[in-house]
Amino acid sequence: MQSRALEILVGFFVCLGVAAVFVLTFRVASLDSVGGGDKTYRVSAEFQNIGGLKAGAKVSLAGVAIGRVRDISIDPSSFQAKVTMDISDQYSKIPEDSSAKILTAGLLGEQYIGIEPGGMDDYLKNGSEITLTQSALVLENLIGQFLASQNGSSKDDKLADAIGKLADSLQSKK
Amino acid sequence: MRGGVLTVLSNFLSGLGQAQFFLLSVLRAVLPSLLRPALIVRQLYMIGVLSLIIIVISGMFIGMVLSLQGYHTLVQFGAASSLGVLVALSIIRELGPVVTALLFAGRAGSALAAEIGLMRATDQLSAMEMMAVNPMRYVIAPRFIAGVIAMPLLTAIFCVMAIGVAGGHAIGVGLLHVDAGSYWTQIRANVDLHDLLQALIKSLVFGAVVSWIAVYQGYTAPPTSEGVSRATTSTVVVSSLSILALDFILTAFMFR
Amino acid sequence: MSEARTTSAPAADSATLVRVRGLHFSRGARKIYDGIDVDIPRGKITAIMGPSGTGKTTLLRIIGGQWRPADGAIEFDGINVHQQSLDGLYTLRKRMSLLFQNGALLTDLSVFENVAFPLREHTKLPEAAIRDIVLMKLEAVGLRGARDLYPEELSGGMSRRVALARAIALDPEMVMYDEPFTGQDPISMGVLMRLIQSLNRSLGITSVIVSHDVDEVLSIADHAYVIAGGQVLARGAPDEIRASPSEYVQQFLKGRPDGPVAFHYRAKSLADDLMERA
């Protein structure tokens, strides 16, 4: 009836396909990073301006991804952007007075939240709010500042100051 | 003149309607046919294994050319380390499912239509009916099922070939000296399961649509040599257009 | 289950296996049958003859339930073929076989597997029993030695003999032959005729032969019909057919080029046609 060689070839084909699916899931997609199944706790923070931050962006601490932005809304009383994020349970000992910044990956990259740890002995827990925040750096504002300072006075030290500020802020995002 | 347009339109609509009814009877035959794995295995060989070579080779070349083109653009922005992301996302989100489906339509779809058309023309399908064997269950459904199974597997193989083994990786890392570490870490940081899921959904849909078109064209082909050749051609044409249109619709839906 | 029901059903006329009454059938605008009655007697060889294009094959497909008539009733052993569900129809089809003009062997299976096909599909016999039955059926058509060949390696006559072995694999009550002699050399025609006859005589299989090879068919048939223009023109034993007073039947039997069946397809007169362009 069914030739054996044919069955073996089909078995080989199916194995190859399944192996390819596995390679794609484990090598290509970042299954092991924060995101999927593991437990998280929720923290919120309010920002003046979130720039281009989107839900799903990563939350990092010292460059390590520790969570993701869950939701972005407007606080109706303060007109600030309220960002809620899910942080993995394995990073449960983040000091309560830590600050959150909106940073950009590279010059043109995606925006994400960077947490800078504080020094308190109390830790962030589900529902806590990060009060110290720094808004996104909006390039237009920065350039506007730079141009204004250039027009206002042509003194070299002011120009140098503005350029230094620009360089600083760009550097801090690395 | 107006009559001509109306006839064409009504022919088109009735063809579409017939194809829907045909799909329903195929789907009804799927369950009984699943109890006959030997038939499906045979079709997996005809449809899947025999398409492997064309899929592997095309995957390699598409990965290679994408890598080459992407590198020269990215290097101008000093972003050559993002080459991996560029290759991986284009392959997984679009080129993988779409090119695999187009090749599948050309390789397996046309063969399916011609085979079934010839079975009809040589009365093999009628002979089965007269032997109280339902050709829907014995001939059509196993081929349809095999197509739906084979397409995601072929797509996965295509993607791995294009991104990893010999395509993007070989050119990007081997020839253009992009750092292998950043090639892969960039990919891993930017591709997530959601992308893979989209590719899987697309390839399942494409597999079902191409197999449906192929078996329908073959089954309804007039029993002449011209009829069979026309069924083969329209399988490839209709499948390719459907793949491209559906790709747009699915992408629009899934990316919102 | 329904098998038991069918065999116990009181056949009103047990000498008749298939009864066709008032059959109307059209394909597109073309009327093929205009109310014909046909009786196929049990255990006999019945010939259905007529010029090409009168829908003789159509009749077999209607009896087999593949095509649905516009009007009329077809009964197989007292069961109305076209009032059956798909399952009922399939139960019925296990009791009859249709031998297609070109054999219609499944091209991806060997000769052995082709004959084994209906057994594998419809019985749960062990492999050894299937092998025995297949070899016996192939022996009956003289092709036991060809069991490992594939359909494309067979000549036309051999294909039909394999198809015949396949048709009788399930021991049907009736075999319908669609143009079994067309395109055969005299030797294989003779082989096929002897086979049909011996299957009928030894196994008592009711046989229906559709053909326009008049002499061959009439020499083995017990009973014959001549059909043309959607009507039955003559019926009866071969001798009665040969002695039919109908001009039409005589033209068909003798193969005269012109007669009631005009040589020319219906058209206006040649002179008119020629004048029209001038």
Side-chain angles (χ1 to χ4, degrees), chain C residues 65-99:
Chain C
Q66 276 195 317
W67 291 346
R68 186 166 279 278
D71 194 20
I74 289 90
E75 287 177 8
F76 179 88
D77 202 14
I79 307 161
N80 189 318
V81 174
H82 296 276
Q83 286 171 3
Q84 298 294 308
S85 65
L86 195 63
D87 283 346
L89 190 59
Y90 277 3
T91 318
L92 217 52
R93 282 184 187 161
K94 289 176 200 168
R95 301 172 59 195
M96 57 171 105
S97 290
L98 175 56
L99 189 73

mmCIF file of all heavy atoms in Angstrom, chain C residues 65-99:
data_model
loop_
_atom_site.group_PDB
_atom_site.id
_atom_site.type_symbol
_atom_site.label_atom_id
_atom_site.label_comp_id
_atom_site.label_asym_id
_atom_site.label_seq_id
_atom_site.Cartn_x
_atom_site.Cartn_y
_atom_site.Cartn_z
ATOM 1 N N GLY C 65 -27.661 6.650 -10.672
ATOM 2 C CA GLY C 65 -27.959 7.714 -9.729
ATOM 3 C C GLY C 65 -26.972 8.867 -9.778
ATOM 4 O O GLY C 65 -26.963 9.711 -8.893
ATOM 5 N N GLN C 66 -26.113 8.899 -10.795
ATOM 6 C CA GLN C 66 -25.164 10.012 -10.873
ATOM 7 C C GLN C 66 -25.840 11.268 -11.395
ATOM 8 O O GLN C 66 -25.496 12.364 -11.000
ATOM 9 C CB GLN C 66 -23.993 9.644 -11.783
ATOM 10 C CG GLN C 66 -22.931 8.855 -11.053
ATOM 11 C CD GLN C 66 -21.650 8.807 -11.842
ATOM 12 O OE1 GLN C 66 -21.651 8.608 -13.043
ATOM 13 N NE2 GLN C 66 -20.543 8.972 -11.148
ATOM 14 N N TRP C 67 -26.750 11.068 -12.329
ATOM 15 C CA TRP C 67 -27.486 12.213 -12.848
ATOM 16 C C TRP C 67 -28.956 12.040 -12.505
ATOM 17 O O TRP C 67 -29.461 10.929 -12.387
ATOM 18 C CB TRP C 67 -27.295 12.330 -14.373
ATOM 19 C CG TRP C 67 -25.885 12.717 -14.726
ATOM 20 C CD1 TRP C 67 -24.948 13.206 -13.873
ATOM 21 C CD2 TRP C 67 -25.253 12.613 -15.997
ATOM 22 N NE1 TRP C 67 -23.774 13.422 -14.538
ATOM 23 C CE2 TRP C 67 -23.921 13.080 -15.830
ATOM 24 C CE3 TRP C 67 -25.677 12.189 -17.259
ATOM 25 C CZ2 TRP C 67 -23.016 13.116 -16.887
ATOM 26 C CZ3 TRP C 67 -24.783 12.239 -18.305
ATOM 27 C CH2 TRP C 67 -23.470 12.705 -18.119
ATOM 28 N N ARG C 68 -29.617 13.157 -12.347
ATOM 29 C CA ARG C 68 -30.999 13.158 -11.894
ATOM 30 C C ARG C 68 -31.908 13.460 -13.079
ATOM 31 O O ARG C 68 -31.675 14.435 -13.794
ATOM 32 C CB ARG C 68 -31.130 14.231 -10.818
ATOM 33 C CG ARG C 68 -32.430 14.324 -10.114
ATOM 34 C CD ARG C 68 -32.287 15.181 -8.877
ATOM 35 N NE ARG C 68 -31.717 14.414 -7.772
ATOM 36 C CZ ARG C 68 -32.437 13.608 -6.996
ATOM 37 N NH1 ARG C 68 -33.729 13.493 -7.176
ATOM 38 N NH2 ARG C 68 -31.874 12.932 -6.022
ATOM 39 N N PRO C 69 -32.914 12.649 -13.309
ATOM 40 C CA PRO C 69 -33.810 12.912 -14.441
ATOM 41 C C PRO C 69 -34.753 14.073 -14.143
ATOM 42 O O PRO C 69 -35.032 14.356 -12.984
ATOM 43 C CB PRO C 69 -34.589 11.601 -14.570
ATOM 44 C CG PRO C 69 -34.580 11.025 -13.203
ATOM 45 C CD PRO C 69 -33.280 11.450 -12.569
ATOM 46 N N ALA C 70 -35.219 14.731 -15.213
ATOM 47 C CA ALA C 70 -36.183 15.809 -15.027
ATOM 48 C C ALA C 70 -37.509 15.240 -14.550
ATOM 49 O O ALA C 70 -38.220 15.848 -13.760
ATOM 50 C CB ALA C 70 -36.364 16.571 -16.338
ATOM 51 N N ASP C 71 -37.819 14.064 -15.046
ATOM 52 C CA ASP C 71 -39.091 13.454 -14.676
ATOM 53 C C ASP C 71 -38.985 11.953 -14.892
ATOM 54 O O ASP C 71 -38.146 11.481 -15.662
ATOM 55 C CB ASP C 71 -40.233 14.045 -15.530
ATOM 56 C CG ASP C 71 -41.584 13.688 -14.938
ATOM 57 O OD1 ASP C 71 -41.618 13.354 -13.736
ATOM 58 O OD2 ASP C 71 -42.586 13.740 -15.668
ATOM 59 N N GLY C 72 -39.827 11.208 -14.200
ATOM 60 C CA GLY C 72 -39.820 9.770 -14.393
ATOM 61 C C GLY C 72 -39.226 9.054 -13.198
ATOM 62 O O GLY C 72 -38.649 9.672 -12.316
ATOM 63 N N ALA C 73 -39.404 7.729 -13.178
ATOM 64 C CA ALA C 73 -38.942 6.947 -12.037
ATOM 65 C C ALA C 73 -38.012 5.847 -12.509
ATOM 66 O O ALA C 73 -38.238 5.225 -13.543
ATOM 67 C CB ALA C 73 -40.144 6.332 -11.313
ATOM 68 N N ILE C 74 -36.944 5.648 -11.760
ATOM 69 C CA ILE C 74 -36.024 4.547 -12.033
ATOM 70 C C ILE C 74 -35.981 3.685 -10.789
ATOM 71 O O ILE C 74 -35.619 4.147 -9.709
ATOM 72 C CB ILE C 74 -34.610 5.041 -12.391
ATOM 73 C CG1 ILE C 74 -34.587 5.689 -13.768
ATOM 74 C CG2 ILE C 74 -33.611 3.886 -12.403
ATOM 75 C CD1 ILE C 74 -34.862 7.133 -13.765
ATOM 76 N N GLU C 75 -36.387 2.436 -10.934
ATOM 77 C CA GLU C 75 -36.373 1.536 -9.786
ATOM 78 C C GLU C 75 -35.348 0.456 -9.994
ATOM 79 O O GLU C 75 -35.276 -0.157 -11.060
ATOM 80 C CB GLU C 75 -37.757 0.911 -9.589
ATOM 81 C CG GLU C 75 -38.761 1.883 -9.042
ATOM 82 C CD GLU C 75 -40.133 1.251 -8.926
ATOM 83 O OE1 GLU C 75 -40.238 0.027 -9.135
ATOM 84 O OE2 GLU C 75 -41.085 1.991 -8.634
ATOM 85 N N PHE C 76 -34.535 0.232 -8.975
ATOM 86 C CA PHE C 76 -33.595 -0.876 -8.990
ATOM 87 C C PHE C 76 -34.076 -1.852 -7.943
ATOM 88 O O PHE C 76 -34.104 -1.530 -6.748
ATOM 89 C CB PHE C 76 -32.183 -0.378 -8.663
ATOM 90 C CG PHE C 76 -31.146 -1.462 -8.633
ATOM 91 C CD1 PHE C 76 -30.483 -1.830 -9.796
ATOM 92 C CD2 PHE C 76 -30.833 -2.115 -7.453
ATOM 93 C CE1 PHE C 76 -29.530 -2.832 -9.778
ATOM 94 C CE2 PHE C 76 -29.881 -3.122 -7.434
ATOM 95 C CZ PHE C 76 -29.227 -3.478 -8.596
ATOM 96 N N ASP C 77 -34.505 -3.023 -8.389
ATOM 97 C CA ASP C 77 -35.028 -4.034 -7.475
ATOM 98 C C ASP C 77 -36.128 -3.453 -6.587
ATOM 99 O O ASP C 77 -36.171 -3.697 -5.381
ATOM 100 C CB ASP C 77 -33.886 -4.592 -6.616
ATOM 101 C CG ASP C 77 -34.247 -5.979 -6.059
ATOM 102 O OD1 ASP C 77 -35.224 -6.576 -6.559
ATOM 103 O OD2 ASP C 77 -33.558 -6.436 -5.138
ATOM 104 N N GLY C 78 -36.988 -2.639 -7.189
ATOM 105 C CA GLY C 78 -38.118 -2.091 -6.452
ATOM 106 C C GLY C 78 -37.816 -0.851 -5.647
ATOM 107 O O GLY C 78 -38.680 -0.287 -4.994
ATOM 108 N N ILE C 79 -36.545 -0.371 -5.662
ATOM 109 C CA ILE C 79 -36.184 0.820 -4.902
ATOM 110 C C ILE C 79 -36.001 1.978 -5.867
ATOM 111 O O ILE C 79 -35.258 1.856 -6.840
ATOM 112 C CB ILE C 79 -34.870 0.602 -4.132
ATOM 113 C CG1 ILE C 79 -34.957 -0.655 -3.293
ATOM 114 C CG2 ILE C 79 -34.528 1.802 -3.291
ATOM 115 C CD1 ILE C 79 -33.614 -1.186 -2.888
ATOM 116 N N ASN C 80 -36.649 3.089 -5.574
ATOM 117 C CA ASN C 80 -36.493 4.247 -6.446
ATOM 118 C C ASN C 80 -35.119 4.878 -6.218
ATOM 119 O O ASN C 80 -34.826 5.388 -5.140
ATOM 120 C CB ASN C 80 -37.600 5.263 -6.172
ATOM 121 C CG ASN C 80 -37.602 6.367 -7.205
ATOM 122 O OD1 ASN C 80 -36.540 6.867 -7.586
ATOM 123 N ND2 ASN C 80 -38.776 6.738 -7.667
ATOM 124 N N VAL C 81 -34.299 4.831 -7.262
ATOM 125 C CA VAL C 81 -32.898 5.259 -7.140
ATOM 126 C C VAL C 81 -32.796 6.718 -6.712
ATOM 127 O O VAL C 81 -31.960 7.090 -5.895
ATOM 128 C CB VAL C 81 -32.173 5.039 -8.482
ATOM 129 C CG1 VAL C 81 -30.762 5.617 -8.425
ATOM 130 C CG2 VAL C 81 -32.124 3.567 -8.820
ATOM 131 N N HIS C 82 -33.669 7.551 -7.255
ATOM 132 C CA HIS C 82 -33.488 8.988 -7.047
ATOM 133 C C HIS C 82 -34.219 9.522 -5.814
ATOM 134 O O HIS C 82 -34.223 10.709 -5.582
ATOM 135 C CB HIS C 82 -33.892 9.750 -8.310
ATOM 136 C CG HIS C 82 -33.002 9.398 -9.445
ATOM 137 N ND1 HIS C 82 -31.791 9.996 -9.645
ATOM 138 C CD2 HIS C 82 -33.113 8.461 -10.414
ATOM 139 C CE1 HIS C 82 -31.197 9.466 -10.694
ATOM 140 N NE2 HIS C 82 -31.982 8.534 -11.181
ATOM 141 N N GLN C 83 -34.836 8.607 -5.048
ATOM 142 C CA GLN C 83 -35.416 9.072 -3.795
ATOM 143 C C GLN C 83 -34.570 8.649 -2.612
ATOM 144 O O GLN C 83 -34.984 8.737 -1.464
ATOM 145 C CB GLN C 83 -36.845 8.529 -3.644
ATOM 146 C CG GLN C 83 -37.808 9.261 -4.561
ATOM 147 C CD GLN C 83 -39.173 8.624 -4.591
ATOM 148 O OE1 GLN C 83 -39.418 7.663 -3.881
ATOM 149 N NE2 GLN C 83 -40.048 9.172 -5.418
ATOM 150 N N GLN C 84 -33.351 8.176 -2.893
ATOM 151 C CA GLN C 84 -32.480 7.721 -1.826
ATOM 152 C C GLN C 84 -31.649 8.880 -1.288
ATOM 153 O O GLN C 84 -31.320 9.813 -2.006
ATOM 154 C CB GLN C 84 -31.519 6.645 -2.348
ATOM 155 C CG GLN C 84 -32.223 5.415 -2.856
ATOM 156 C CD GLN C 84 -32.931 4.683 -1.741
ATOM 157 O OE1 GLN C 84 -32.333 4.379 -0.722
ATOM 158 N NE2 GLN C 84 -34.207 4.407 -1.930
ATOM 159 N N SER C 85 -31.276 8.773 -0.014
ATOM 160 C CA SER C 85 -30.261 9.678 0.517
ATOM 161 C C SER C 85 -28.926 9.250 -0.072
ATOM 162 O O SER C 85 -28.827 8.221 -0.732
ATOM 163 C CB SER C 85 -30.205 9.565 2.039
ATOM 164 O OG SER C 85 -29.767 8.269 2.376
ATOM 165 N N LEU C 86 -27.878 10.059 0.198
ATOM 166 C CA LEU C 86 -26.571 9.710 -0.344
ATOM 167 C C LEU C 86 -26.131 8.339 0.166
ATOM 168 O O LEU C 86 -25.613 7.514 -0.592
ATOM 169 C CB LEU C 86 -25.542 10.772 0.040
ATOM 170 C CG LEU C 86 -24.237 10.710 -0.752
ATOM 171 C CD1 LEU C 86 -24.480 10.966 -2.221
ATOM 172 C CD2 LEU C 86 -23.233 11.704 -0.196
ATOM 173 N N ASP C 87 -26.389 8.075 1.441
ATOM 174 C CA ASP C 87 -26.000 6.780 2.004
ATOM 175 C C ASP C 87 -26.762 5.637 1.344
ATOM 176 O O ASP C 87 -26.188 4.609 1.005
ATOM 177 C CB ASP C 87 -26.254 6.756 3.519
ATOM 178 C CG ASP C 87 -25.179 7.515 4.275
ATOM 179 O OD1 ASP C 87 -24.137 7.796 3.649
ATOM 180 O OD2 ASP C 87 -25.383 7.817 5.451
ATOM 181 N N GLY C 88 -28.078 5.875 1.159
ATOM 182 C CA GLY C 88 -28.898 4.848 0.534
ATOM 183 C C GLY C 88 -28.436 4.583 -0.884
ATOM 184 O O GLY C 88 -28.376 3.438 -1.346
ATOM 185 N N LEU C 89 -28.078 5.671 -1.574
ATOM 186 C CA LEU C 89 -27.613 5.549 -2.945
ATOM 187 C C LEU C 89 -26.326 4.731 -2.979
ATOM 188 O O LEU C 89 -26.140 3.864 -3.840
ATOM 189 C CB LEU C 89 -27.372 6.954 -3.515
ATOM 190 C CG LEU C 89 -27.112 7.058 -5.002
ATOM 191 C CD1 LEU C 89 -28.270 6.497 -5.786
ATOM 192 C CD2 LEU C 89 -26.873 8.501 -5.383
ATOM 193 N N TYR C 90 -25.428 5.014 -2.012
ATOM 194 C CA TYR C 90 -24.152 4.280 -1.979
ATOM 195 C C TYR C 90 -24.379 2.798 -1.664
ATOM 196 O O TYR C 90 -23.700 1.936 -2.196
ATOM 197 C CB TYR C 90 -23.204 4.915 -0.958
ATOM 198 C CG TYR C 90 -22.462 6.112 -1.520
ATOM 199 C CD1 TYR C 90 -22.718 6.554 -2.814
ATOM 200 C CD2 TYR C 90 -21.498 6.785 -0.788
ATOM 201 C CE1 TYR C 90 -22.055 7.636 -3.355
ATOM 202 C CE2 TYR C 90 -20.818 7.876 -1.324
ATOM 203 C CZ TYR C 90 -21.099 8.299 -2.597
ATOM 204 O OH TYR C 90 -20.425 9.359 -3.124
ATOM 205 N N THR C 91 -25.356 2.515 -0.801
ATOM 206 C CA THR C 91 -25.683 1.116 -0.526
ATOM 207 C C THR C 91 -26.143 0.427 -1.799
ATOM 208 O O THR C 91 -25.773 -0.711 -2.088
ATOM 209 C CB THR C 91 -26.805 1.036 0.522
ATOM 210 O OG1 THR C 91 -26.532 1.992 1.523
ATOM 211 C CG2 THR C 91 -26.895 -0.333 1.114
ATOM 212 N N LEU C 92 -26.944 1.179 -2.566
ATOM 213 C CA LEU C 92 -27.467 0.635 -3.815
ATOM 214 C C LEU C 92 -26.340 0.401 -4.817
ATOM 215 O O LEU C 92 -26.304 -0.608 -5.525
ATOM 216 C CB LEU C 92 -28.465 1.650 -4.383
ATOM 217 C CG LEU C 92 -29.703 1.124 -5.075
ATOM 218 C CD1 LEU C 92 -30.420 0.138 -4.188
ATOM 219 C CD2 LEU C 92 -30.609 2.287 -5.423
ATOM 220 N N ARG C 93 -25.391 1.352 -4.850
ATOM 221 C CA ARG C 93 -24.324 1.252 -5.851
ATOM 222 C C ARG C 93 -23.375 0.091 -5.572
ATOM 223 O O ARG C 93 -22.650 -0.332 -6.464
ATOM 224 C CB ARG C 93 -23.528 2.551 -5.883
ATOM 225 C CG ARG C 93 -24.246 3.651 -6.643
ATOM 226 C CD ARG C 93 -23.375 4.864 -6.713
ATOM 227 N NE ARG C 93 -24.099 5.986 -7.300
ATOM 228 C CZ ARG C 93 -23.718 7.239 -7.157
ATOM 229 N NH1 ARG C 93 -22.630 7.522 -6.454
ATOM 230 N NH2 ARG C 93 -24.393 8.210 -7.720
ATOM 231 N N LYS C 94 -23.369 -0.380 -4.319
ATOM 232 C CA LYS C 94 -22.530 -1.550 -4.063
ATOM 233 C C LYS C 94 -23.117 -2.778 -4.745
ATOM 234 O O LYS C 94 -22.450 -3.786 -4.900
ATOM 235 C CB LYS C 94 -22.413 -1.795 -2.553
ATOM 236 C CG LYS C 94 -21.569 -0.755 -1.855
ATOM 237 C CD LYS C 94 -21.554 -0.980 -0.355
ATOM 238 C CE LYS C 94 -21.133 0.298 0.334
ATOM 239 N NZ LYS C 94 -21.370 0.260 1.773
ATOM 240 N N ARG C 95 -24.377 -2.700 -5.143
ATOM 241 C CA ARG C 95 -25.019 -3.850 -5.788
ATOM 242 C C ARG C 95 -24.938 -3.764 -7.304
ATOM 243 O O ARG C 95 -25.395 -4.658 -7.993
ATOM 244 C CB ARG C 95 -26.479 -3.936 -5.345
ATOM 245 C CG ARG C 95 -26.616 -4.071 -3.832
ATOM 246 C CD ARG C 95 -28.055 -3.950 -3.394
ATOM 247 N NE ARG C 95 -28.886 -4.969 -4.006
ATOM 248 C CZ ARG C 95 -30.215 -4.908 -4.019
ATOM 249 N NH1 ARG C 95 -30.846 -3.892 -3.471
ATOM 250 N NH2 ARG C 95 -30.909 -5.862 -4.592
ATOM 251 N N MET C 96 -24.418 -2.644 -7.814
ATOM 252 C CA MET C 96 -24.278 -2.529 -9.269
ATOM 253 C C MET C 96 -22.911 -1.952 -9.614
ATOM 254 O O MET C 96 -22.253 -1.344 -8.786
ATOM 255 C CB MET C 96 -25.370 -1.627 -9.847
ATOM 256 C CG MET C 96 -25.397 -0.238 -9.233
ATOM 257 S SD MET C 96 -26.505 0.865 -10.115
ATOM 258 C CE MET C 96 -27.908 0.977 -9.041
ATOM 259 N N SER C 97 -22.473 -2.199 -10.834
ATOM 260 C CA SER C 97 -21.192 -1.658 -11.265
ATOM 261 C C SER C 97 -21.372 -1.029 -12.627
ATOM 262 O O SER C 97 -22.228 -1.436 -13.396
ATOM 263 C CB SER C 97 -20.144 -2.752 -11.402
ATOM 264 O OG SER C 97 -19.784 -3.228 -10.159
ATOM 265 N N LEU C 98 -20.537 -0.037 -12.899
ATOM 266 C CA LEU C 98 -20.546 0.579 -14.222
ATOM 267 C C LEU C 98 -19.140 0.474 -14.779
ATOM 268 O O LEU C 98 -18.181 0.900 -14.143
ATOM 269 C CB LEU C 98 -20.985 2.050 -14.102
ATOM 270 C CG LEU C 98 -20.937 2.896 -15.367
ATOM 271 C CD1 LEU C 98 -21.754 2.263 -16.474
ATOM 272 C CD2 LEU C 98 -21.460 4.297 -15.085
ATOM 273 N N LEU C 99 -19.045 -0.149 -15.947
ATOM 274 C CA LEU C 99 -17.745 -0.256 -16.605
ATOM 275 C C LEU C 99 -17.621 0.901 -17.585
ATOM 276 O O LEU C 99 -18.356 0.961 -18.564
ATOM 277 C CB LEU C 99 -17.645 -1.591 -17.334
ATOM 278 C CG LEU C 99 -16.265 -1.903 -17.879
ATOM 279 C CD1 LEU C 99 -15.334 -2.251 -16.745
ATOM 280 C CD2 LEU C 99 -16.332 -3.039 -18.872
#
